[in-house]
Amino acid sequence: MDSISQAALGAAVAGLVAGKRCSPKVLLAGAALGTLPDLDVLLDYGDPISNMVKHRGFSHSLFVLVPFSALLAVIWHRLFAKNWPLWQLIALITAALTTHPLLDSFTSYGTQLFWPMDVPPVAFSSIFIIDPLYTIPLLIPVLAAFIWRSRAAWLCGVGLALSSAYLLWSLVALGMVEERVEANIAGTHLEGQPVFITPTPVNTVLWRVVVLDGDQYWEGLTSLLDNDTEINWLPVDRGQWPFPSKPSLLTDLEDFTAGFVSYQRDGNALAVTDLRLGMAMYHPFSFVMAEKNADGIWQSVSPEQLDPGPVLPRQIPALWMRLLGLQSIDAMLCNENDCYRD
């Protein structure tokens, strides 16, 4: 999730655990702890793909954060908070740090909660990385806690209850969409194929669905406000890697995305794109990984991340109208009369 949401979550859980000891200093400390795991973005692993797949890695692992929390609590207790019960400090710091990756795991990116175990990153994909309906009900009570200090812990609890209820709703909405997708592909050649479902930006009403199908994939949008539950699928060329073997970085990317990648040729370059993140041909994680040499032969190159370009302003009303149930708008945010792409 975004830094504001993580800071608000860290402050809220710290304030709730602190109880009568809750103060502006506690809230600020909780906010700082809540954003601490994301400092791994400062680490450079040498190439953009490694930076992507290793983000939300060790710094988001429960196996790292839990013992680190206990160690930090002991140090803080001895140096700055001798009047606090040690158990309460441990609980406060552990809660503020571990709720960060737990919240991240609800997004589509992938969070390595169990690093260094060789298990896939956790990604429930039930909430977009920025969602005001999660953040605002959490942030307002936290800000109010700075003013009404006598009820600070209670206000933090209210914020956590509201935001957690929204997270629960996102899982319910995801389950509804999963049932709809299963009904749409049942009895077709897509039945049993890998499916990826994720909410579209800043809402949990309109959902994007991607189904892999060999050298192509099918993409569709479905809204909980649709009158017709039938999904309008759009076939898209997925492409192929031009070599019989794949470099280790490509294997890492495919493992991280559970295979939801495409291989698009643009002139003499071949870009590998993470299909999970973005929509309507706007994908922020796309990497040039092969190029044709002067003899027209493909060769691997050091990965270079491509600039996805700006979101077209005309796509925003299309997204909104599709959310409201205008099913003539397809997954590329085009409809029968107008196309919201250049």
Side-chain angles (χ1 to χ4, degrees):
M1 292 290 287
D2 62 283
S3 296
I4 294 176
S5 299
Q6 294 290 10
L9 177 61
V13 295
L16 183 63
V17 173
K20 294 181 180 180
R21 297 177 182 272
C22 183
S23 67
K25 288 184 179 180
V26 168
L27 295 174
L28 290 173
L33 289 168
T35 58
L36 185 62
D38 274 344
L39 289 181
D40 69 333
V41 297
L42 301 177
L43 299 175
D44 185 359
Y45 292 98
D47 64 85
I49 291 181
S50 296
N51 289 341
M52 176 190 177
V53 302
K54 293 182 180 180
H55 175 50
R56 296 190 183 179
F58 75 92
S59 69
H60 287 60
S61 170
L62 299 179
F63 293 137
V64 172
L65 291 177
V66 171
F68 175 73
S69 298
L71 176 62
L72 184 58
V74 170
I75 295 174
W76 200 262
H77 182 260
R78 291 183 178 180
L79 297 180
F80 305 108
K82 294 181 179 180
N83 60 326
W84 279 64
L86 179 58
W87 70 265
Q88 192 173 24
L89 272 180
I90 293 175
L92 187 154
I93 295 174
T94 302
L97 284 175
T98 59
T99 49
H100 176 120
L102 291 175
L103 177 59
D104 276 346
S105 67
F106 283 84
T107 68
S108 301
Y109 189 94
T111 305
Q112 299 179 56
L113 293 180
F114 306 109
W115 181 95
M117 294 178 62
D118 187 18
V119 296
V122 179
F124 295 115
S125 299
S126 68
I127 191 170
F128 191 68
I129 193 171
I130 299 174
D131 193 329
L133 291 180
Y134 174 84
T135 306
I136 292 175
L138 178 62
L139 183 60
I140 290 177
V142 168
L143 293 177
F146 282 90
I147 301 173
W148 290 289
R149 299 182 184 182
S150 62
R151 308 202 70 184
W154 179 82
L155 287 167
C156 289
V158 169
L160 286 172
L162 293 174
S163 60
S164 297
Y166 185 72
L167 275 184
L168 179 61
W169 152 252
S170 75
L171 293 174
V172 172
L174 174 59
M176 295 167 63
V177 174
E178 287 175 339
E179 291 182 359
R180 183 178 297 185
V181 172
E182 289 175 4
N184 270 262
I185 65 177
T188 73
H189 75 285
L190 295 179
E191 186 173 8
Q193 297 297 322
V195 178
F196 181 78
I197 303 172
T198 186
T200 57
V202 300
N203 78 97
T204 51
V205 177
L206 178 63
W207 296 74
R208 174 175 171 261
V209 186
V210 178
V211 185
L212 298 184
D213 183 22
D215 292 342
Q216 67 179 355
Y217 64 92
W218 299 80
E219 187 166 346
L221 295 174
T222 184
S223 171
L224 298 180
L225 301 180
D226 287 346
N227 291 323
D228 187 353
T229 59
E230 183 176 353
I231 298 175
N232 178 23
W233 298 104
L234 191 68
V236 183
D237 179 31
R238 188 181 175 209
Q240 290 182 329
W241 181 248
F243 308 111
S245 60
K246 297 178 180 179
S248 59
L249 286 177
L250 177 55
T251 302
D252 290 343
L253 181 61
E254 289 181 333
D255 289 343
F256 186 72
T257 61
F260 281 86
V261 296
S262 67
Y263 313 91
Q264 302 297 328
R265 299 184 182 186
D266 184 8
N268 291 328
L270 183 140
V272 183
T273 300
D274 182 352
L275 295 174
R276 304 169 308 152
L277 307 174
M279 64 177 300
M281 304 311 293
Y282 177 91
H283 296 285
F285 294 101
S286 186
F287 310 91
V288 172
M289 297 193 69
E291 293 179 348
K292 281 185 178 180
N293 61 21
D295 298 323
I297 299 174
W298 286 102
Q299 56 187 8
S300 296
V301 297
S302 298
E304 177 184 350
Q305 187 167 359
L306 296 174
D307 183 356
V311 175
L312 298 178
R314 289 176 294 171
Q315 291 179 328
I316 298 175
L319 182 68
W320 176 247
M321 294 304 296
R322 183 63 191 86
L323 182 151
L324 294 176
L326 184 59
Q327 292 182 256
S328 61
I329 296 176
D330 63 23
M332 296 298 112
L333 297 181
C334 297
N335 63 25
E336 297 173 351
N337 302 313
D338 300 296
C339 185
Y340 291 84
R341 297 177 294 173
D342 284 345

